[in-house]
Amino acid sequence: MAKVLVLHGPNLNRLGTREPDVYGRITLEELDDRLKRLGREWGLEVTCFQSNVEGELIDRIHAAEDEFDYIILNPGAYTHYSYAIRDAIASVRVPVMEVHLSNVHAREPFRRVSVTAPVCRGQIGGFGILSYEMALYAVQRWVKQSSEPGGEVDAKSH
Ligand code: DQA
């Protein structure tokens, strides 16, 4: 069974109460439960971790190399300036999908820049918790198709 690490960055522990008009009313615990349940339905083992500390996120990305097949990462505000997280993503072979709840391109100018997205497999944003679900769905498709004749279908094979 493919293993997926869902990593949430700073302030995402405040989901549900934090700016609900922007981020919605679902709590992080509810989101994690939902992703784990979907993962079970799709044959994926989902593990979730949240931290407000840059170094802890970096340590998890490094450790994921030996433990996980895919990472779904919402770096929170680190998206916009953490070269350290960018370098951590670039240092591992495990594919990383960047997700955002909000449409960062429709908000303040500083949010339009992602220093992490260029080293990720792709970025999904603006769909609330569906952004995470779509990333998980993409993982499910990759896993399924890599086991079928014709091999893995992902962005690199088009
Ligand atoms: C966010 C967008 C970031 O700009 C912000 O700092 C967050 C959440 C999102 O999921 O929309 O913390 O990553």
Side-chain angles (χ1 to χ4, degrees):
M1 191 185 272
K3 293 184 169 188
V4 184
L5 175 64
V6 177
L7 265 186
H8 309 280
N11 299 306
L12 290 162
N13 55 315
R14 308 276 308 152
L15 273 189
T17 50
R18 171 196 188 200
E19 299 179 81
D21 293 346
V22 178
Y23 299 115
R25 292 186 190 278
I26 192 169
T27 65
L28 187 64
E29 201 185 349
E30 288 165 344
L31 171 58
D32 286 346
D33 284 349
R34 209 180 160 102
L35 294 172
K36 286 178 190 167
R37 187 161 30 85
L38 259 187
R40 278 194 296 275
E41 276 173 31
W42 290 343
L44 305 169
E45 187 183 316
V46 175
T47 302
C48 303
F49 177 77
Q50 187 275 333
S51 178
N52 295 318
V53 180
E54 187 178 32
E56 285 184 5
L57 294 167
I58 291 169
D59 286 345
R60 286 290 173 140
I61 292 168
H62 292 168
E65 175 121 291
D66 299 323
E67 291 173 32
F68 293 94
D69 302 297
Y70 296 90
I71 300 175
I72 294 172
L73 169 67
N74 184 345
Y78 285 138
T79 306
H80 315 300
Y81 66 91
S82 176
Y83 297 118
I85 291 181
R86 176 200 168 102
D87 286 352
I89 297 167
S91 80
V92 295
R93 282 183 304 270
V94 48
V96 179
M97 316 260 302
E98 180 169 310
V99 297
H100 296 286
L101 294 156
S102 63
N103 179 358
V104 286
H105 301 287
R107 300 180 63 197
E108 302 93 325
F110 76 86
R111 293 188 205 275
R112 291 183 199 146
V113 173
S114 170
V115 301
T116 45
V119 288
C120 290
R121 186 66 71 93
Q123 186 198 54
I124 302 173
F127 302 98
I129 61 161
L130 274 181
S131 299
Y132 285 87
E133 292 187 11
M134 286 192 269
L136 197 60
Y137 178 71
V139 169
Q140 184 238 14
R141 290 294 304 269
W142 288 333
V143 170
K144 192 161 174 275
Q145 299 197 9
S146 66
S147 67
E148 286 171 356
E152 190 175 348
V153 174
D154 67 12
K156 285 180 182 159
S157 63
H158 288 285

